[in-house]
Amino acid sequence: YEKKAERVNSVIYPEIKTILVKNDKVPIPDNDSDKQVFDYEYDYIINNNSTLEDLEKAAEKFIKSLN
């Protein structure tokens, strides 16, 4: 997983940014790709541990921070 993502980011699309939306309340599924999701170094991480409204606010704040 990580090697494929690094190749896509650095070789094919070097301008791409990666985002992880993380929720500590959700268990990680039992498959290789999902188990390795935290082994990658993301450009941005958004924590989603509260309400849908809070996630929406975090997403809006994130988008504004890009400008």
Side-chain angles (χ1 to χ4, degrees):
Y1 174 82
E2 184 176 357
K3 290 181 182 184
K4 288 181 185 179
E6 285 177 6
R7 178 168 156 53
V8 168
N9 288 358
S10 65
V11 177
I12 300 172
Y13 300 106
E15 70 281 356
I16 199 168
K17 299 294 181 193
T18 56
I19 302 171
L20 173 66
V21 178
K22 181 179 171 185
N23 185 325
D24 296 326
K25 300 173 189 174
V26 177
I28 299 172
D30 191 24
N31 63 65
D32 288 339
S33 293
D34 286 326
K35 286 180 184 177
Q36 296 175 18
V37 75
F38 295 111
D39 294 341
Y40 186 77
E41 188 173 323
Y42 295 90
D43 296 301
Y44 305 98
I45 297 175
I46 296 176
N47 289 304
N48 177 26
N49 293 318
S50 189
T51 65
L52 188 56
E53 290 88 12
D54 287 341
L55 175 60
E56 186 175 334
K57 288 176 189 175
E60 288 174 357
K61 183 178 177 180
F62 169 74
I63 291 169
K64 287 179 184 176
S65 76
L66 297 176
N67 294 329

